[in-house]
Amino acid sequence: MKAFIDRFSSMVKGTISGLDRIVFKGLILPLMSSTEVMSFCRSRSIPNKDYKQWMMKQTAGLIENAEQHAKKTCGQAINHIST
């Protein structure tokens, strides 16, 4: 946890010790407007018609990597908390 806080200290607003979970919330501001999304897709040669499929694949990969990391470091899967 200390390494995480050290690495992202400019973005961390505070910490709480003693809990057994971390909740990440946030936005990717460059992808908040249609103009920026189009620019992002163009820079990566992602056709408009394939954007949803590409994004779903990226999301699935991110979730899978997070699950594997949790199992490897904590010995159990991620428990999703509904908000």
Side-chain angles (χ1 to χ4, degrees), residues 13-34:
K13 293 183 181 180
T15 62
I16 298 174
S17 299
L19 297 177
D20 62 349
R21 66 195 78 195
I22 299 173
V23 177
F24 293 97
K25 290 185 177 183
L27 304 170
I28 302 173
L29 291 178
L31 298 179
M32 292 300 293
S33 74
S34 59

PDB file of all heavy atoms in Angstrom, residues 13-34:
ATOM      1  N   LYS A  13      -6.128  11.684  -1.967  1.00  0.00           N
ATOM      2  CA  LYS A  13      -6.644  12.726  -1.082  1.00  0.00           C
ATOM      3  C   LYS A  13      -6.537  12.325   0.376  1.00  0.00           C
ATOM      4  O   LYS A  13      -6.537  13.171   1.253  1.00  0.00           O
ATOM      5  CB  LYS A  13      -8.100  13.029  -1.430  1.00  0.00           C
ATOM      6  CG  LYS A  13      -8.254  13.667  -2.792  1.00  0.00           C
ATOM      7  CD  LYS A  13      -9.689  14.006  -3.072  1.00  0.00           C
ATOM      8  CE  LYS A  13      -9.820  14.627  -4.448  1.00  0.00           C
ATOM      9  NZ  LYS A  13     -11.180  14.973  -4.774  1.00  0.00           N
ATOM     10  N   GLY A  14      -6.452  11.044   0.662  1.00  0.00           N
ATOM     11  CA  GLY A  14      -6.345  10.590   2.038  1.00  0.00           C
ATOM     12  C   GLY A  14      -6.351   9.079   2.098  1.00  0.00           C
ATOM     13  O   GLY A  14      -6.614   8.412   1.104  1.00  0.00           O
ATOM     14  N   THR A  15      -6.039   8.535   3.238  1.00  0.00           N
ATOM     15  CA  THR A  15      -6.036   7.086   3.422  1.00  0.00           C
ATOM     16  C   THR A  15      -6.703   6.743   4.751  1.00  0.00           C
ATOM     17  O   THR A  15      -6.778   7.568   5.656  1.00  0.00           O
ATOM     18  CB  THR A  15      -4.602   6.513   3.431  1.00  0.00           C
ATOM     19  OG1 THR A  15      -3.891   7.073   4.532  1.00  0.00           O
ATOM     20  CG2 THR A  15      -3.875   6.812   2.137  1.00  0.00           C
ATOM     21  N   ILE A  16      -7.169   5.516   4.838  1.00  0.00           N
ATOM     22  CA  ILE A  16      -7.741   4.991   6.072  1.00  0.00           C
ATOM     23  C   ILE A  16      -7.048   3.662   6.336  1.00  0.00           C
ATOM     24  O   ILE A  16      -6.982   2.805   5.450  1.00  0.00           O
ATOM     25  CB  ILE A  16      -9.261   4.771   5.937  1.00  0.00           C
ATOM     26  CG1 ILE A  16      -9.961   6.092   5.655  1.00  0.00           C
ATOM     27  CG2 ILE A  16      -9.811   4.117   7.195  1.00  0.00           C
ATOM     28  CD1 ILE A  16     -11.438   5.948   5.365  1.00  0.00           C
ATOM     29  N   SER A  17      -6.531   3.490   7.506  1.00  0.00           N
ATOM     30  CA  SER A  17      -5.848   2.243   7.862  1.00  0.00           C
ATOM     31  C   SER A  17      -6.825   1.274   8.512  1.00  0.00           C
ATOM     32  O   SER A  17      -7.791   1.692   9.157  1.00  0.00           O
ATOM     33  CB  SER A  17      -4.711   2.540   8.839  1.00  0.00           C
ATOM     34  OG  SER A  17      -3.771   3.387   8.248  1.00  0.00           O
ATOM     35  N   GLY A  18      -6.548  -0.009   8.327  1.00  0.00           N
ATOM     36  CA  GLY A  18      -7.314  -1.022   9.015  1.00  0.00           C
ATOM     37  C   GLY A  18      -8.437  -1.652   8.215  1.00  0.00           C
ATOM     38  O   GLY A  18      -9.042  -2.603   8.665  1.00  0.00           O
ATOM     39  N   LEU A  19      -8.754  -1.139   7.045  1.00  0.00           N
ATOM     40  CA  LEU A  19      -9.822  -1.734   6.234  1.00  0.00           C
ATOM     41  C   LEU A  19      -9.251  -2.822   5.340  1.00  0.00           C
ATOM     42  O   LEU A  19      -8.069  -2.858   5.039  1.00  0.00           O
ATOM     43  CB  LEU A  19     -10.509  -0.661   5.401  1.00  0.00           C
ATOM     44  CG  LEU A  19     -11.221   0.435   6.207  1.00  0.00           C
ATOM     45  CD1 LEU A  19     -11.789   1.482   5.264  1.00  0.00           C
ATOM     46  CD2 LEU A  19     -12.314  -0.152   7.064  1.00  0.00           C
ATOM     47  N   ASP A  20     -10.112  -3.691   4.870  1.00  0.00           N
ATOM     48  CA  ASP A  20      -9.674  -4.805   4.042  1.00  0.00           C
ATOM     49  C   ASP A  20     -10.063  -4.631   2.586  1.00  0.00           C
ATOM     50  O   ASP A  20     -10.171  -5.590   1.854  1.00  0.00           O
ATOM     51  CB  ASP A  20     -10.247  -6.114   4.582  1.00  0.00           C
ATOM     52  CG  ASP A  20     -11.771  -6.139   4.547  1.00  0.00           C
ATOM     53  OD1 ASP A  20     -12.380  -5.092   4.300  1.00  0.00           O
ATOM     54  OD2 ASP A  20     -12.333  -7.220   4.758  1.00  0.00           O
ATOM     55  N   ARG A  21     -10.281  -3.389   2.162  1.00  0.00           N
ATOM     56  CA  ARG A  21     -10.670  -3.169   0.768  1.00  0.00           C
ATOM     57  C   ARG A  21     -10.233  -1.789   0.306  1.00  0.00           C
ATOM     58  O   ARG A  21      -9.989  -0.903   1.102  1.00  0.00           O
ATOM     59  CB  ARG A  21     -12.165  -3.316   0.577  1.00  0.00           C
ATOM     60  CG  ARG A  21     -12.960  -2.232   1.304  1.00  0.00           C
ATOM     61  CD  ARG A  21     -14.403  -2.567   1.411  1.00  0.00           C
ATOM     62  NE  ARG A  21     -14.493  -3.529   2.499  1.00  0.00           N
ATOM     63  CZ  ARG A  21     -15.515  -4.286   2.764  1.00  0.00           C
ATOM     64  NH1 ARG A  21     -16.584  -4.197   2.060  1.00  0.00           N
ATOM     65  NH2 ARG A  21     -15.523  -5.137   3.743  1.00  0.00           N
ATOM     66  N   ILE A  22     -10.161  -1.659  -1.008  1.00  0.00           N
ATOM     67  CA  ILE A  22      -9.858  -0.380  -1.648  1.00  0.00           C
ATOM     68  C   ILE A  22     -10.943  -0.142  -2.681  1.00  0.00           C
ATOM     69  O   ILE A  22     -11.287  -1.050  -3.444  1.00  0.00           O
ATOM     70  CB  ILE A  22      -8.488  -0.407  -2.349  1.00  0.00           C
ATOM     71  CG1 ILE A  22      -7.370  -0.686  -1.357  1.00  0.00           C
ATOM     72  CG2 ILE A  22      -8.235   0.893  -3.075  1.00  0.00           C
ATOM     73  CD1 ILE A  22      -6.019  -0.879  -2.018  1.00  0.00           C
ATOM     74  N   VAL A  23     -11.470   1.043  -2.730  1.00  0.00           N
ATOM     75  CA  VAL A  23     -12.473   1.397  -3.724  1.00  0.00           C
ATOM     76  C   VAL A  23     -11.873   2.474  -4.614  1.00  0.00           C
ATOM     77  O   VAL A  23     -11.422   3.507  -4.130  1.00  0.00           O
ATOM     78  CB  VAL A  23     -13.763   1.926  -3.050  1.00  0.00           C
ATOM     79  CG1 VAL A  23     -14.766   2.371  -4.106  1.00  0.00           C
ATOM     80  CG2 VAL A  23     -14.356   0.870  -2.144  1.00  0.00           C
ATOM     81  N   PHE A  24     -11.830   2.210  -5.907  1.00  0.00           N
ATOM     82  CA  PHE A  24     -11.336   3.176  -6.873  1.00  0.00           C
ATOM     83  C   PHE A  24     -12.527   3.820  -7.560  1.00  0.00           C
ATOM     84  O   PHE A  24     -13.404   3.135  -8.069  1.00  0.00           O
ATOM     85  CB  PHE A  24     -10.461   2.503  -7.942  1.00  0.00           C
ATOM     86  CG  PHE A  24      -9.173   1.967  -7.411  1.00  0.00           C
ATOM     87  CD1 PHE A  24      -9.053   0.636  -7.071  1.00  0.00           C
ATOM     88  CD2 PHE A  24      -8.084   2.802  -7.257  1.00  0.00           C
ATOM     89  CE1 PHE A  24      -7.858   0.133  -6.580  1.00  0.00           C
ATOM     90  CE2 PHE A  24      -6.895   2.315  -6.762  1.00  0.00           C
ATOM     91  CZ  PHE A  24      -6.772   0.979  -6.426  1.00  0.00           C
ATOM     92  N   LYS A  25     -12.550   5.119  -7.564  1.00  0.00           N
ATOM     93  CA  LYS A  25     -13.575   5.856  -8.291  1.00  0.00           C
ATOM     94  C   LYS A  25     -12.875   6.971  -9.039  1.00  0.00           C
ATOM     95  O   LYS A  25     -11.932   7.563  -8.530  1.00  0.00           O
ATOM     96  CB  LYS A  25     -14.621   6.451  -7.352  1.00  0.00           C
ATOM     97  CG  LYS A  25     -15.521   5.438  -6.716  1.00  0.00           C
ATOM     98  CD  LYS A  25     -16.600   6.111  -5.909  1.00  0.00           C
ATOM     99  CE  LYS A  25     -17.540   5.072  -5.324  1.00  0.00           C
ATOM    100  NZ  LYS A  25     -18.630   5.704  -4.599  1.00  0.00           N
ATOM    101  N   GLY A  26     -13.338   7.262 -10.226  1.00  0.00           N
ATOM    102  CA  GLY A  26     -12.726   8.360 -10.951  1.00  0.00           C
ATOM    103  C   GLY A  26     -13.171   8.397 -12.388  1.00  0.00           C
ATOM    104  O   GLY A  26     -14.000   7.602 -12.828  1.00  0.00           O
ATOM    105  N   LEU A  27     -12.613   9.327 -13.105  1.00  0.00           N
ATOM    106  CA  LEU A  27     -12.945   9.526 -14.504  1.00  0.00           C
ATOM    107  C   LEU A  27     -11.672   9.657 -15.318  1.00  0.00           C
ATOM    108  O   LEU A  27     -10.666  10.154 -14.811  1.00  0.00           O
ATOM    109  CB  LEU A  27     -13.756  10.817 -14.683  1.00  0.00           C
ATOM    110  CG  LEU A  27     -15.030  10.939 -13.874  1.00  0.00           C
ATOM    111  CD1 LEU A  27     -15.570  12.350 -13.987  1.00  0.00           C
ATOM    112  CD2 LEU A  27     -16.052   9.946 -14.357  1.00  0.00           C
ATOM    113  N   ILE A  28     -11.740   9.244 -16.549  1.00  0.00           N
ATOM    114  CA  ILE A  28     -10.650   9.487 -17.477  1.00  0.00           C
ATOM    115  C   ILE A  28     -11.059  10.726 -18.263  1.00  0.00           C
ATOM    116  O   ILE A  28     -11.781  10.646 -19.251  1.00  0.00           O
ATOM    117  CB  ILE A  28     -10.411   8.272 -18.399  1.00  0.00           C
ATOM    118  CG1 ILE A  28     -10.117   7.035 -17.566  1.00  0.00           C
ATOM    119  CG2 ILE A  28      -9.271   8.561 -19.366  1.00  0.00           C
ATOM    120  CD1 ILE A  28     -10.042   5.757 -18.361  1.00  0.00           C
ATOM    121  N   LEU A  29     -10.658  11.881 -17.767  1.00  0.00           N
ATOM    122  CA  LEU A  29     -11.130  13.142 -18.324  1.00  0.00           C
ATOM    123  C   LEU A  29     -10.892  13.297 -19.828  1.00  0.00           C
ATOM    124  O   LEU A  29     -11.752  13.830 -20.514  1.00  0.00           O
ATOM    125  CB  LEU A  29     -10.526  14.317 -17.554  1.00  0.00           C
ATOM    126  CG  LEU A  29     -11.060  14.458 -16.130  1.00  0.00           C
ATOM    127  CD1 LEU A  29     -10.383  15.618 -15.420  1.00  0.00           C
ATOM    128  CD2 LEU A  29     -12.556  14.635 -16.113  1.00  0.00           C
ATOM    129  N   PRO A  30      -9.751  12.842 -20.369  1.00  0.00           N
ATOM    130  CA  PRO A  30      -9.595  13.003 -21.815  1.00  0.00           C
ATOM    131  C   PRO A  30     -10.644  12.265 -22.639  1.00  0.00           C
ATOM    132  O   PRO A  30     -10.824  12.551 -23.811  1.00  0.00           O
ATOM    133  CB  PRO A  30      -8.204  12.436 -22.092  1.00  0.00           C
ATOM    134  CG  PRO A  30      -7.478  12.581 -20.811  1.00  0.00           C
ATOM    135  CD  PRO A  30      -8.531  12.376 -19.746  1.00  0.00           C
ATOM    136  N   LEU A  31     -11.339  11.322 -22.052  1.00  0.00           N
ATOM    137  CA  LEU A  31     -12.350  10.573 -22.789  1.00  0.00           C
ATOM    138  C   LEU A  31     -13.766  10.998 -22.406  1.00  0.00           C
ATOM    139  O   LEU A  31     -14.727  10.279 -22.632  1.00  0.00           O
ATOM    140  CB  LEU A  31     -12.174   9.069 -22.562  1.00  0.00           C
ATOM    141  CG  LEU A  31     -10.852   8.498 -23.052  1.00  0.00           C
ATOM    142  CD1 LEU A  31     -10.774   7.009 -22.751  1.00  0.00           C
ATOM    143  CD2 LEU A  31     -10.644   8.742 -24.526  1.00  0.00           C
ATOM    144  N   MET A  32     -13.907  12.187 -21.838  1.00  0.00           N
ATOM    145  CA  MET A  32     -15.219  12.657 -21.405  1.00  0.00           C
ATOM    146  C   MET A  32     -15.983  13.408 -22.495  1.00  0.00           C
ATOM    147  O   MET A  32     -17.159  13.642 -22.364  1.00  0.00           O
ATOM    148  CB  MET A  32     -15.081  13.560 -20.177  1.00  0.00           C
ATOM    149  CG  MET A  32     -14.634  12.809 -18.939  1.00  0.00           C
ATOM    150  SD  MET A  32     -15.753  11.490 -18.438  1.00  0.00           S
ATOM    151  CE  MET A  32     -17.177  12.433 -17.949  1.00  0.00           C
ATOM    152  N   SER A  33     -15.311  13.794 -23.554  1.00  0.00           N
ATOM    153  CA  SER A  33     -16.014  14.492 -24.631  1.00  0.00           C
ATOM    154  C   SER A  33     -15.880  13.687 -25.919  1.00  0.00           C
ATOM    155  O   SER A  33     -14.902  12.968 -26.118  1.00  0.00           O
ATOM    156  CB  SER A  33     -15.444  15.902 -24.832  1.00  0.00           C
ATOM    157  OG  SER A  33     -14.192  15.839 -25.477  1.00  0.00           O
ATOM    158  N   SER A  34     -16.851  13.833 -26.790  1.00  0.00           N
ATOM    159  CA  SER A  34     -16.835  13.071 -28.042  1.00  0.00           C
ATOM    160  C   SER A  34     -15.626  13.441 -28.898  1.00  0.00           C
ATOM    161  O   SER A  34     -15.043  12.582 -29.564  1.00  0.00           O
ATOM    162  CB  SER A  34     -18.126  13.292 -28.818  1.00  0.00           C
ATOM    163  OG  SER A  34     -18.295  14.664 -29.100  1.00  0.00           O
TER     164      SER A  34
END
